[in-house]
Amino acid sequence: MNNELQEKKYKKIITILSVAIPLAVAALFVIKIPNVEPLRSLPPIYALINALTAVLLIAAVVAIKKGNKKLHEQLNTTAIICSVLFLVLYVAYHMTSDSTKFGGDGAVKYIYYFILFTHILLSIIIIPFVLITFMRAKLGNFTEHKRIAKITFPLWLYVAITGVVVYLMISPYYI
């Protein structure tokens, strides 16, 4: 199969995932597993996974700038695995637990909600960017990979870092 056909096939999958993942996460606020003990230990774990993702992304950029394509690929693949693991744990937590309300007030409340809003919005937007960037590298289209990676990297890094910030800001209010 030539690259054009492969890319067309992957773009269909990317489109489906880019719609299905946010819809599934949105459903969490309605769907709860009854009679299950809340998984309260998960938020610090998935915050740590977000922190690890940020470190992996930065290391991947350093690796490619040094010309180490193999390490760059391994680090980015691991970052994608971390993001998937984060998503699974996030879903597990929210299917067993109610959302935690932020208890701060004043300026910190507005800062928190700004960070939360941008984190959520960009976490939706970043899905197709990550998948397209990864696909272009896998298909050997490195010119286009590099072009979109310049957008994907800062967005994904922002989402990973703000995930940790949101956790740190809301953690005092977990029940």
Side-chain angles (χ1 to χ4, degrees), residues 28-50:
L28 297 176
F29 296 99
V30 180
I31 300 169
K32 298 289 182 219
I33 300 172
N35 304 318
V36 173
E37 188 69 29
L39 301 172
R40 297 186 205 282
S41 62
L42 291 183
I45 295 169
Y46 59 69
L48 185 62
I49 291 169
N50 267 331

Side-chain angles (χ1 to χ4, degrees), residues 3-37:
N3 271 5
E4 211 171 286
L5 286 175
Q6 283 183 309
E7 188 168 331
K8 190 174 181 179
K9 180 182 90 173
Y10 287 134
K11 282 185 176 180
K12 285 181 184 176
I13 295 168
I14 290 167
T15 300
I16 291 166
L17 288 173
S18 297
V19 172
I21 292 170
L23 289 176
V25 172
L28 297 176
F29 296 99
V30 180
I31 300 169
K32 298 289 182 219
I33 300 172
N35 304 318
V36 173
E37 188 69 29

